[in-house]
Coordinates of all heavy atoms in Angstrom, one line a residue:
M1 N -146.2 112.1 72.3 CA -145.4 111.0 72.8 C -145.3 111.2 74.3 O -145.0 112.3 74.8 CB -144.1 110.8 72.2 CG -143.3 109.7 72.7 SD -141.6 109.5 71.9 CE -142.0 108.9 70.4
K2 N -145.4 110.2 75.1 CA -145.3 110.3 76.6 C -143.9 110.7 77.0 O -142.9 110.3 76.3 CB -145.6 109.0 77.2 CG -147.1 108.6 77.3 CD -147.3 107.3 78.0 CE -148.6 107.2 78.6 NZ -148.7 106.0 79.4
T3 N -143.8 111.4 78.1 CA -142.5 111.8 78.6 C -141.6 110.5 78.9 O -140.4 110.5 78.6 CB -142.7 112.6 79.9 OG1 -143.4 113.7 79.6 CG2 -141.3 113.0 80.5
T4 N -142.2 109.5 79.5 CA -141.5 108.3 79.8 C -140.9 107.6 78.5 O -139.8 107.1 78.5 CB -142.3 107.3 80.6 OG1 -143.5 107.0 79.8 CG2 -142.6 107.8 82.0
S5 N -141.7 107.7 77.4 CA -141.2 107.1 76.2 C -140.0 107.9 75.6 O -139.0 107.4 75.1 CB -142.3 107.2 75.1 OG -143.4 106.3 75.5
K6 N -140.1 109.2 75.7 CA -139.0 110.1 75.3 C -137.7 109.8 76.1 O -136.6 109.8 75.6 CB -139.4 111.6 75.4 CG -140.4 112.0 74.4 CD -140.8 113.4 74.5 CE -141.9 113.8 73.6 NZ -142.3 115.2 73.7
L7 N -137.9 109.7 77.4 CA -136.8 109.4 78.3 C -136.2 108.1 78.0 O -134.9 107.9 78.0 CB -137.2 109.6 79.8 CG -137.5 110.9 80.3 CD1 -138.1 110.9 81.7 CD2 -136.3 111.9 80.2
A8 N -137.0 107.1 77.8 CA -136.5 105.7 77.5 C -135.7 105.7 76.2 O -134.6 105.1 76.1 CB -137.7 104.8 77.4
Y9 N -136.2 106.4 75.2 CA -135.5 106.5 73.9 C -134.2 107.2 74.0 O -133.2 106.8 73.5 CB -136.4 107.2 72.8 CG -135.8 107.2 71.5 CD1 -135.7 106.1 70.7 CD2 -135.2 108.4 70.9 CE1 -135.1 106.1 69.5 CE2 -134.6 108.4 69.7 CZ -134.6 107.2 68.9 OH -134.0 107.3 67.7
K10 N -134.2 108.3 74.8 CA -132.9 109.0 75.0 C -131.9 108.2 75.7 O -130.7 108.3 75.5 CB -133.2 110.3 75.9 CG -132.0 111.2 76.0 CD -132.4 112.5 76.8 CE -131.2 113.4 76.9 NZ -131.5 114.6 77.6
S11 N -132.4 107.3 76.6 CA -131.4 106.5 77.4 C -130.8 105.4 76.6 O -129.7 104.9 77.0 CB -132.2 105.8 78.6 OG -133.0 104.8 78.1
I12 N -131.3 105.1 75.4 CA -130.7 104.0 74.5 C -129.9 104.6 73.4 O -129.3 103.9 72.6 CB -131.7 103.1 74.0 CG1 -132.7 103.8 73.0 CG2 -132.5 102.3 75.1 CD1 -133.5 102.8 72.2
Q13 N -129.8 105.9 73.3 CA -129.1 106.6 72.1 C -127.7 106.0 71.9 O -127.3 105.8 70.8 CB -129.1 108.1 72.3 CG -130.4 108.7 72.1 CD -131.0 108.5 70.7 OE1 -130.4 108.8 69.7 NE2 -132.2 107.9 70.7
E14 N -126.9 105.8 73.0 CA -125.6 105.4 72.8 C -125.5 104.0 72.3 O -124.4 103.6 71.7 CB -124.8 105.5 74.1 CG -125.3 104.6 75.2 CD -124.6 104.8 76.5 OE1 -124.9 105.9 77.2 OE2 -123.8 104.0 76.9
H15 N -126.5 103.2 72.4 CA -126.5 101.8 72.0 C -127.0 101.6 70.6 O -126.9 100.5 70.0 CB -127.4 101.0 72.9 CG -127.0 101.1 74.4 ND1 -125.9 100.4 74.9 CD2 -127.6 101.8 75.4 CE1 -125.8 100.7 76.2 NE2 -126.8 101.5 76.5
L16 N -127.6 102.7 70.0 CA -128.1 102.5 68.6 C -127.1 102.3 67.5 O -127.3 101.4 66.7 CB -129.0 103.7 68.3 CG -130.3 103.9 69.2 CD1 -131.1 105.1 68.7 CD2 -131.1 102.6 69.1
P17 N -126.0 103.1 67.5 CA -125.1 102.8 66.4 C -124.6 101.4 66.3 O -124.5 100.8 65.2 CB -123.9 103.8 66.7 CG -124.6 105.0 67.4 CD -125.6 104.3 68.2
P18 N -124.2 100.7 67.4 CA -123.8 99.3 67.2 C -124.9 98.4 66.7 O -124.7 97.5 66.0 CB -123.4 98.9 68.7 CG -123.1 100.2 69.4 CD -124.0 101.2 68.7
L19 N -126.1 98.7 67.2 CA -127.3 97.9 66.7 C -127.5 98.1 65.2 O -127.7 97.2 64.4 CB -128.6 98.2 67.4 CG -128.6 97.7 68.9 CD1 -129.9 98.2 69.5 CD2 -128.6 96.2 68.9
H20 N -127.4 99.4 64.8 CA -127.6 99.7 63.4 C -126.5 99.0 62.5 O -126.8 98.4 61.5 CB -127.5 101.2 63.1 CG -128.7 102.0 63.6 ND1 -128.8 103.3 63.7 CD2 -129.9 101.5 64.2 CE1 -129.9 103.7 64.2 NE2 -130.6 102.6 64.5
T21 N -125.3 99.0 63.0 CA -124.2 98.4 62.3 C -124.4 96.9 62.2 O -124.2 96.3 61.1 CB -122.9 98.6 63.0 OG1 -122.6 100.0 63.1 CG2 -121.7 97.9 62.4
K22 N -124.9 96.2 63.2 CA -125.2 94.8 63.2 C -126.3 94.5 62.2 O -126.2 93.5 61.5 CB -125.5 94.3 64.6 CG -124.4 94.2 65.5 CD -124.8 93.6 66.9 CE -123.7 93.5 67.8 NZ -124.1 93.0 69.1
I23 N -127.3 95.3 62.2 CA -128.4 95.1 61.3 C -128.0 95.2 59.8 O -128.3 94.4 59.0 CB -129.6 96.0 61.6 CG1 -130.2 95.6 62.9 CG2 -130.6 96.0 60.5 CD1 -131.1 96.7 63.5
I24 N -127.2 96.3 59.5 CA -126.7 96.5 58.2 C -125.8 95.3 57.8 O -125.9 94.8 56.6 CB -126.0 97.8 58.1 CG1 -126.9 99.0 58.3 CG2 -125.2 98.0 56.7 CD1 -128.0 99.1 57.2
Q25 N -124.9 94.9 58.6 CA -124.0 93.8 58.3 C -124.8 92.5 58.0 O -124.5 91.8 57.1 CB -123.0 93.6 59.5 CG -122.0 92.5 59.2 CD -121.1 92.8 58.0 OE1 -120.7 93.9 57.8 NE2 -120.9 91.8 57.2
A26 N -125.8 92.3 58.8 CA -126.7 91.1 58.6 C -127.3 91.1 57.2 O -127.4 90.1 56.5 CB -127.7 90.9 59.7
L27 N -127.8 92.3 56.9 CA -128.5 92.5 55.6 C -127.5 92.3 54.4 O -127.8 91.8 53.4 CB -129.2 93.8 55.4 CG -130.6 93.9 56.1 CD1 -131.1 95.3 56.1 CD2 -131.5 93.0 55.3
K28 N -126.2 92.7 54.6 CA -125.2 92.5 53.6 C -124.9 91.0 53.4 O -124.7 90.5 52.3 CB -123.9 93.2 54.0 CG -123.9 94.7 53.9 CD -122.6 95.3 54.3 CE -122.7 96.9 54.1 NZ -121.5 97.5 54.6
E29 N -125.0 90.2 54.5 CA -124.8 88.8 54.5 C -126.0 88.1 53.8 O -125.8 87.1 53.0 CB -124.6 88.3 55.9 CG -123.2 88.7 56.4 CD -123.0 88.3 57.9 OE1 -123.8 87.4 58.4 OE2 -122.1 88.8 58.5
I30 N -127.2 88.4 54.2 CA -128.4 87.7 53.7 C -129.1 88.3 52.5 O -129.9 87.7 51.9 CB -129.4 87.4 54.8 CG1 -130.0 88.8 55.3 CG2 -128.8 86.7 56.0 CD1 -131.2 88.6 56.3
G31 N -128.7 89.5 52.1 CA -129.3 90.2 51.0 C -130.6 91.0 51.3 O -130.6 92.2 51.1
K32 N -131.6 90.3 51.8 CA -132.8 90.9 52.2 C -133.5 89.9 53.1 O -133.2 88.7 53.1 CB -133.7 91.3 51.0 CG -134.1 90.1 50.1 CD -135.0 90.7 49.0 CE -135.4 89.5 48.1 NZ -136.2 90.0 47.0
G33 N -134.4 90.4 54.0 CA -135.1 89.5 54.9 C -136.1 90.3 55.7 O -136.2 91.5 55.8
T34 N -137.0 89.5 56.4 CA -137.9 90.0 57.4 C -137.1 90.4 58.6 O -136.0 90.0 58.8 CB -139.0 89.0 57.8 OG1 -138.3 87.9 58.4 CG2 -139.7 88.5 56.5
F35 N -137.8 91.1 59.5 CA -137.1 91.5 60.8 C -136.6 90.3 61.6 O -135.6 90.3 62.2 CB -138.0 92.4 61.6 CG -139.1 91.7 62.4 CD1 -139.0 91.3 63.7 CD2 -140.3 91.6 61.7 CE1 -140.0 90.7 64.3 CE2 -141.4 91.0 62.4 CZ -141.2 90.5 63.7
R36 N -137.4 89.2 61.5 CA -137.0 88.0 62.2 C -135.7 87.3 61.6 O -134.8 86.9 62.2 CB -138.1 86.9 62.2 CG -139.3 87.3 63.1 CD -140.3 86.2 63.2 NE -141.6 86.7 63.7 CZ -141.9 86.9 64.9 NH1 -141.0 86.8 65.9 NH2 -143.1 87.3 65.3
E37 N -135.7 87.3 60.2 CA -134.5 86.8 59.5 C -133.3 87.6 59.8 O -132.2 87.1 60.0 CB -134.8 86.7 58.0 CG -135.9 85.7 57.7 CD -136.4 85.7 56.3 OE1 -136.3 86.8 55.7 OE2 -136.9 84.7 55.8
I38 N -133.5 88.9 59.8 CA -132.4 89.9 60.0 C -131.9 89.7 61.5 O -130.7 89.6 61.7 CB -132.8 91.3 59.8 CG1 -133.2 91.5 58.3 CG2 -131.7 92.3 60.2 CD1 -133.9 92.8 58.1
A39 N -132.8 89.5 62.4 CA -132.4 89.3 63.8 C -131.6 88.1 64.0 O -130.6 88.1 64.7 CB -133.7 89.3 64.7
K40 N -132.0 87.0 63.4 CA -131.3 85.7 63.4 C -129.9 85.9 62.9 O -128.9 85.4 63.5 CB -132.1 84.6 62.7 CG -131.4 83.3 62.8 CD -132.3 82.2 62.2 CE -131.6 80.9 62.3 NZ -132.4 79.8 61.7
A41 N -129.8 86.5 61.7 CA -128.5 86.7 61.1 C -127.6 87.6 61.9 O -126.4 87.4 61.9 CB -128.7 87.2 59.7
A42 N -128.2 88.6 62.6 CA -127.4 89.5 63.4 C -127.2 89.1 64.8 O -126.5 89.8 65.6 CB -128.1 90.9 63.4
N43 N -127.8 87.9 65.2 CA -127.7 87.4 66.6 C -128.3 88.5 67.6 O -127.7 88.8 68.6 CB -126.3 87.0 66.9 CG -126.2 86.1 68.2 OD1 -127.2 85.4 68.4 ND2 -125.1 86.2 68.9
L44 N -129.4 89.0 67.2 CA -130.1 90.0 68.0 C -131.5 89.5 68.3 O -132.0 88.5 67.6 CB -130.2 91.3 67.3 CG -128.9 92.1 67.0 CD1 -129.2 93.3 66.1 CD2 -128.3 92.5 68.3
R45 N -132.2 90.1 69.2 CA -133.6 89.7 69.5 C -134.5 90.4 68.4 O -134.2 91.5 67.9 CB -134.0 90.2 70.9 CG -133.3 89.5 72.0 CD -133.9 89.8 73.4 NE -134.1 91.3 73.6 CZ -133.1 92.1 74.0 NH1 -131.9 91.7 74.3 NH2 -133.5 93.4 74.2
D46 N -135.6 89.8 68.1 CA -136.5 90.3 67.1 C -136.9 91.8 67.4 O -136.8 92.6 66.5 CB -137.8 89.5 67.1 CG -137.7 88.1 66.6 OD1 -136.6 87.8 66.0 OD2 -138.6 87.3 66.8
E47 N -137.2 92.1 68.6 CA -137.6 93.5 69.0 C -136.5 94.5 68.8 O -136.7 95.7 68.6 CB -138.2 93.6 70.4 CG -137.4 93.2 71.5 CD -137.4 91.7 71.9 OE1 -137.9 90.9 71.1 OE2 -136.9 91.4 73.0
Q48 N -135.2 94.0 68.9 CA -134.1 94.9 68.7 C -134.0 95.3 67.3 O -133.6 96.4 66.9 CB -132.8 94.3 69.1 CG -132.6 94.1 70.6 CD -131.3 93.4 70.9 OE1 -131.1 92.3 70.6 NE2 -130.4 94.1 71.6
V49 N -134.5 94.5 66.4 CA -134.4 94.8 65.0 C -135.6 95.5 64.5 O -135.5 96.6 63.8 CB -134.2 93.5 64.1 CG1 -134.3 93.7 62.7 CG2 -132.9 92.8 64.5
W50 N -136.8 95.1 64.8 CA -138.0 95.8 64.2 C -138.1 97.2 64.7 O -138.6 98.1 63.9 CB -139.3 95.0 64.3 CG -139.9 94.8 65.7 CD1 -139.8 93.7 66.5 CD2 -140.7 95.8 66.4 NE1 -140.4 94.0 67.7 CE2 -141.0 95.2 67.7 CE3 -141.1 97.1 66.1 CZ2 -141.8 95.9 68.6 CZ3 -141.9 97.7 67.1 CH2 -142.2 97.1 68.3
K51 N -137.6 97.5 65.8 CA -137.7 98.8 66.3 C -136.6 99.7 65.7 O -136.8 101.0 65.7 CB -137.5 98.9 67.9 CG -138.6 98.3 68.6 CD -138.4 98.3 70.1 CE -139.6 97.7 70.9 NZ -139.4 97.8 72.3
R52 N -135.6 99.2 65.1 CA -134.5 99.9 64.5 C -134.7 100.1 63.0 O -134.1 101.0 62.4 CB -133.2 99.3 64.8 CG -132.9 99.0 66.3 CD -132.5 100.2 67.1 NE -133.5 101.1 67.5 CZ -134.3 101.0 68.6 NH1 -134.2 100.1 69.4 NH2 -135.2 102.0 68.8
L53 N -135.5 99.3 62.4 CA -135.6 99.3 60.9 C -136.2 100.7 60.5 O -135.7 101.2 59.5 CB -136.4 98.2 60.4 CG -135.7 96.8 60.4 CD1 -136.6 95.7 60.2 CD2 -134.5 96.8 59.4
S54 N -137.2 101.2 61.2 CA -137.7 102.5 60.8 C -136.7 103.6 60.9 O -136.7 104.5 60.1 CB -139.0 102.8 61.6 OG -138.7 102.9 63.0
E55 N -135.8 103.5 61.9 CA -134.7 104.5 62.1 C -133.8 104.4 60.9 O -133.4 105.5 60.3 CB -134.0 104.2 63.4 CG -134.8 104.5 64.6 CD -134.1 103.9 65.9 OE1 -133.0 103.2 65.8 OE2 -134.7 104.1 66.9
L56 N -133.4 103.2 60.5 CA -132.5 103.0 59.4 C -133.2 103.5 58.1 O -132.5 104.0 57.2 CB -132.0 101.6 59.3 CG -131.1 101.1 60.4 CD1 -130.9 99.6 60.4 CD2 -129.7 101.8 60.2
K57 N -134.5 103.3 58.0 CA -135.2 103.7 56.8 C -135.2 105.3 56.7 O -134.9 105.8 55.7 CB -136.6 103.2 56.8 CG -137.4 103.6 55.6 CD -138.8 103.0 55.6 CE -139.6 103.5 54.4 NZ -140.9 102.9 54.4
K58 N -135.4 105.9 57.8 CA -135.4 107.4 57.9 C -134.0 107.9 57.5 O -133.9 109.0 56.9 CB -135.8 107.9 59.3 CG -137.2 107.8 59.6 CD -137.6 108.3 60.9 CE -139.0 108.1 61.3 NZ -139.3 108.4 62.7
K59 N -132.9 107.2 57.9 CA -131.6 107.6 57.5 C -131.2 107.2 56.1 O -130.2 107.6 55.6 CB -130.6 106.9 58.5 CG -130.7 107.3 59.9 CD -129.8 106.5 60.8 CE -128.4 106.5 60.5 NZ -127.5 105.8 61.5
G60 N -132.1 106.5 55.4 CA -131.9 106.2 54.0 C -131.0 105.0 53.8 O -130.5 104.7 52.7
E61 N -130.7 104.2 54.9 CA -129.8 103.1 54.8 C -130.5 101.8 54.4 O -129.9 100.9 53.8 CB -129.1 102.9 56.1 CG -128.2 104.1 56.4 CD -127.3 103.9 57.6 OE1 -126.8 102.7 57.8 OE2 -127.1 104.8 58.4
V62 N -131.8 101.6 54.7 CA -132.6 100.4 54.3 C -133.9 100.9 53.6 O -134.3 102.0 53.8 CB -132.8 99.5 55.4 CG1 -131.6 99.0 56.1 CG2 -133.8 100.1 56.5
I63 N -134.4 100.0 52.8 CA -135.7 100.3 52.2 C -136.6 99.0 52.3 O -136.1 97.9 52.5 CB -135.6 100.7 50.7 CG1 -134.9 99.6 49.9 CG2 -134.9 102.0 50.6 CD1 -134.8 99.9 48.4
D64 N -137.9 99.2 52.2 CA -138.8 98.1 52.2 C -138.7 97.5 50.8 O -138.8 98.2 49.8 CB -140.3 98.6 52.3 CG -140.6 99.2 53.7 OD1 -140.2 98.6 54.7 OD2 -141.1 100.4 53.7
D65 N -138.5 96.2 50.7 CA -138.5 95.5 49.4 C -140.0 95.3 49.1 O -140.9 95.4 49.9 CB -137.8 94.2 49.6 CG -137.5 93.5 48.3 OD1 -136.9 94.1 47.4 OD2 -138.1 92.4 48.1
L66 N -140.3 95.1 47.8 CA -141.7 94.9 47.4 C -142.2 93.5 47.8 O -143.4 93.3 47.8 CB -141.8 95.1 45.9 CG -141.5 96.6 45.4 CD1 -141.6 96.6 43.9 CD2 -142.4 97.6 46.1
D67 N -141.3 92.6 48.1 CA -141.6 91.3 48.5 C -142.2 91.3 49.9 O -142.0 92.1 50.8 CB -140.4 90.4 48.6 CG -139.9 90.0 47.2 OD1 -140.6 90.2 46.2 OD2 -138.7 89.6 47.1
T68 N -143.0 90.3 50.2 CA -143.6 90.0 51.5 C -143.4 88.5 51.8 O -143.2 87.7 50.8 CB -145.0 90.4 51.7 OG1 -145.8 89.6 50.7 CG2 -145.3 91.9 51.5
K69 N -143.4 88.1 53.0 CA -143.3 86.7 53.4 C -144.3 86.5 54.5 O -144.7 87.4 55.2 CB -141.9 86.4 53.9 CG -140.8 86.4 52.9 CD -139.5 86.0 53.5 CE -138.4 85.9 52.4 NZ -137.2 85.5 53.0
I70 N -144.8 85.2 54.6 CA -145.6 84.9 55.7 C -144.8 84.5 56.9 O -143.9 83.7 56.8 CB -146.5 83.7 55.4 CG1 -147.4 84.0 54.2 CG2 -147.4 83.3 56.6 CD1 -148.4 85.1 54.4
C71 N -145.0 85.2 58.0 CA -144.2 84.9 59.3 C -144.5 83.6 59.8 O -145.7 83.2 60.0 CB -144.6 86.0 60.3 SG -143.8 85.8 61.9
P72 N -143.5 82.7 60.1 CA -143.7 81.4 60.6 C -144.2 81.4 62.0 O -144.8 80.5 62.5 CB -142.4 80.7 60.5 CG -141.4 81.8 60.4 CD -142.1 83.0 59.8
V73 N -144.0 82.5 62.7 CA -144.4 82.6 64.1 C -145.9 83.1 64.2 O -146.7 82.4 64.9 CB -143.5 83.6 64.9 CG1 -144.0 83.8 66.3 CG2 -142.1 83.0 64.9
S74 N -146.2 84.2 63.6 CA -147.6 84.8 63.7 C -148.5 84.3 62.6 O -149.7 84.4 62.7 CB -147.5 86.3 63.7 OG -147.1 86.7 62.4
G75 N -148.0 83.9 61.5 CA -148.8 83.5 60.3 C -149.3 84.7 59.5 O -150.1 84.6 58.6
R76 N -148.8 85.9 59.9 CA -149.2 87.1 59.2 C -148.2 87.5 58.2 O -147.0 87.0 58.2 CB -149.4 88.2 60.2 CG -150.6 87.9 61.2 CD -150.9 89.1 62.0 NE -149.8 89.5 62.9 CZ -149.9 90.1 64.0 NH1 -151.0 90.5 64.5 NH2 -148.8 90.4 64.7
V77 N -148.6 88.4 57.3 CA -147.7 88.9 56.3 C -146.6 89.8 56.9 O -147.0 90.7 57.7 CB -148.4 89.7 55.2 CG1 -147.5 90.3 54.2 CG2 -149.4 88.7 54.5
C78 N -145.4 89.6 56.5 CA -144.2 90.5 57.0 C -143.6 91.2 55.8 O -143.5 90.6 54.8 CB -143.2 89.6 57.7 SG -143.6 89.1 59.3
G79 N -143.2 92.4 56.1 CA -142.4 93.1 55.0 C -141.0 92.6 55.0 O -140.5 92.0 55.9
V80 N -140.4 92.8 53.8 CA -139.0 92.4 53.6 C -138.2 93.6 53.4 O -138.6 94.6 52.8 CB -138.9 91.5 52.4 CG1 -137.5 91.1 52.0 CG2 -139.7 90.2 52.6
W81 N -137.0 93.6 54.0 CA -136.1 94.8 54.0 C -134.8 94.5 53.3 O -134.4 93.3 53.3 CB -135.8 95.2 55.5 CG -137.0 95.6 56.3 CD1 -137.8 94.8 56.9 CD2 -137.4 96.9 56.4 NE1 -138.8 95.6 57.5 CE2 -138.6 96.9 57.2 CE3 -136.9 98.2 56.0 CZ2 -139.3 98.0 57.6 CZ3 -137.6 99.3 56.4 CH2 -138.8 99.2 57.2
K82 N -134.2 95.5 52.7 CA -132.9 95.3 52.1 C -132.2 96.7 52.2 O -132.7 97.7 52.5 CB -133.1 94.9 50.6 CG -133.7 95.9 49.7 CD -133.8 95.4 48.3 CE -134.5 96.4 47.4 NZ -134.6 95.9 46.0
I83 N -130.9 96.6 51.9 CA -130.0 97.8 52.0 C -130.4 98.7 50.8 O -130.6 98.2 49.7 CB -128.5 97.4 51.9 CG1 -128.2 96.6 53.2 CG2 -127.7 98.6 51.7 CD1 -126.8 96.1 53.2
N84 N -130.4 100.0 51.1 CA -130.7 101.0 50.0 C -129.5 101.2 49.2 O -128.5 101.8 49.8 CB -131.3 102.2 50.7 CG -131.7 103.2 49.6 OD1 -131.9 102.9 48.5 ND2 -131.9 104.5 50.1
E85 N -129.4 100.8 48.0 CA -128.2 100.9 47.2 C -128.4 102.0 46.1 O -129.5 102.1 45.6 CB -127.8 99.6 46.6 CG -127.5 98.6 47.7 CD -127.0 97.3 47.2 OE1 -127.9 96.5 46.6 OE2 -125.8 97.0 47.3

């Protein structure tokens, strides 16, 4: 990983817990969804959510659901996420 990438990631560390909390809360409200659906429910930008989902997965807080959906923006298949219960 590039040094600039590591520095950028380090600079956002203090902002991650509130983002994680918003994402988890949104998933509690909607049950499961794509990163775009979660972003909408959490009132966050798409990129704020998709970049955090892998972190939440590593922490064991969310999992990939077996469902997929077609993204209305890109027309490609998107994974669906839900809280790990």
Side-chain angles (χ1 to χ4, degrees):
M1 182 182 284
K2 287 182 153 188
T3 301
T4 53
S5 296
K6 290 178 184 178
L7 292 171
Y9 184 73
K10 187 176 180 179
S11 73
I12 64 165
Q13 289 299 303
E14 67 187 72
H15 303 286
L16 295 182
L19 288 175
H20 289 173
T21 299
K22 286 181 181 182
I23 291 167
I24 295 296
Q25 185 59 42
L27 277 171
K28 285 179 181 177
E29 291 174 13
I30 65 173
K32 61 183 180 178
T34 66
F35 75 93
R36 291 185 198 280
E37 292 168 336
I38 298 165
K40 183 177 180 181
N43 198 27
L44 296 169
R45 295 186 315 273
D46 294 346
E47 62 272 13
Q48 288 178 295
V49 174
W50 69 259
K51 291 180 180 181
R52 307 284 73 90
L53 287 169
S54 61
E55 295 165 356
L56 289 167
K57 183 178 179 181
K58 285 179 187 175
K59 291 172 62 176
E61 295 188 38
V62 300
I63 57 173
D64 297 308
D65 191 60
L66 297 177
D67 289 340
T68 59
K69 293 184 177 182
I70 300 297
C71 176
V73 175
S74 68
R76 297 188 299 205
V77 175
C78 284
V80 176
W81 296 86
K82 64 182 181 180
I83 293 175
N84 186 15
E85 299 180 288

